[in-house]
Amino acid sequence: MMLAALMLCATLAPPSVDQAPRDGSGMVVGGSVAFGVGYGSSVLAGAVQLGEGKRPGDRTMGWRLMLPIAGPFVAMPTMSPVQRWGSAVGGALQVGGAVTLGWGLLRRGRARRGITRPFLVDRRSRLGLAAFVGVYGATYLFSSMLAAMTLNEAERTERIGRDDPSEQRRYGRRLLIPLVGPFLAIEHGPELVDRVLAGYLGAMQAMTLTGLVVGSAIVATRSRRTSPHLTMWPSLTPSGGAVQFAGRF
């Protein structure tokens, strides 16, 4: 989660040294990390409840915890007092992280101090987006490898005739589905570690894909600003006033 948040920061990093230092970059990083930690914790807790829960409402609680932001609060009615406290902390991290991230992005859009150079899709931006693609690809590749091993084990189990391999097959086939597949596979995990691993893989795919979409949208928006343009704005100083011009031709 932290790696995905840092890659998002790299993608949205200030394009030049002329950019205002307080342009929301710190809020973007902090909000991304807080949301990632809170959502990842809720996903893992939900996976544990789906796998090891004994009460009738544990499965409902587990699926509700998979929902971002609202999930920890919606799941509270079926929790014990200690679980409610932990869920409230995870939900607060998600809400605070999402609000901080959104406010940081707004601040980046409003940051205008002095003359800033037009945004160019430089090497750093391309590397940031490539990192998102690489991490998402690696996560899905690992999920596919785990699915292949699970399906192979199901075939071996069926030949031996020791156990019913139907749950293993469902687990493996759902892991092959991008993005939502790991979440669907949690219910059919043979062991607790399989369920937790599926939840982690699903959270990583969701985080990296979201970062890729957001980063690509911001890069595309800023790239349009590199066309020829002329900007003028007034500013006040202790000794009077001034008018500043910036342009690209």
Side-chain angles (χ1 to χ4, degrees), residues 6 24 29 33 35 85 91 106 120-121 147 185 195 198 204 208 215 223 238:
L6 292 176
V29 177
V33 172
F35 178 79
W85 182 85
L106 289 176
L120 299 176
V121 184
R195 299 183 181 102
M204 281 298 296
T208 52
S223 298

Side-chain angles (χ1 to χ4, degrees), residues 25-142:
S25 298
M27 299 180 71
V28 169
V29 177
S32 301
V33 172
F35 178 79
V37 171
Y39 182 58
S41 301
S42 294
V43 168
L44 296 182
V48 172
Q49 291 300 321
L50 289 173
E52 300 297 319
K54 300 297 189 298
R55 298 180 304 167
D58 286 343
R59 291 178 61 81
T60 302
M61 181 201 310
W63 285 117
R64 288 177 178 177
L65 285 172
M66 299 294 172
L67 299 174
I69 302 179
F73 303 104
V74 176
M76 280 186 180
T78 58
M79 292 180 174
S80 65
V82 175
Q83 291 174 328
R84 289 192 188 114
W85 182 85
S87 183
V89 173
L93 281 173
Q94 292 188 50
V95 173
V99 172
T100 304
L101 174 61
W103 186 251
L105 293 175
L106 289 176
R107 286 192 61 181
R108 286 192 60 82
R110 296 173 180 173
R112 293 291 184 271
R113 291 187 181 180
I115 300 176
T116 57
R117 281 182 260 176
F119 177 81
L120 299 176
V121 184
D122 55 8
R123 181 180 301 177
R124 181 172 51 189
S125 301
R126 290 194 296 269
L127 287 177
L129 295 178
F132 274 114
V133 175
V135 173
Y136 178 80
T139 304
Y140 180 69
L141 177 62
F142 183 81

Side-chain angles (χ1 to χ4, degrees), residues 50-51 59 63 167 171 174 182-190 195:
L50 289 173
R59 291 178 61 81
W63 285 117
E167 284 297 292
Y171 181 77
R174 281 161 176 76
F183 296 108
L184 298 176
I186 292 175
E187 183 180 5
H188 306 284
R195 299 183 181 102

Side-chain angles (χ1 to χ4, degrees), residues 1 28 47 51 60 78 91 119 158 160 165-166 169 171 192 205 228 236:
M1 301 298 177
V28 169
T60 302
T78 58
F119 177 81
E158 187 177 34
I160 296 175
S166 57
R169 285 200 178 95
Y171 181 77
L192 174 61
Q205 289 190 42
L236 297 177

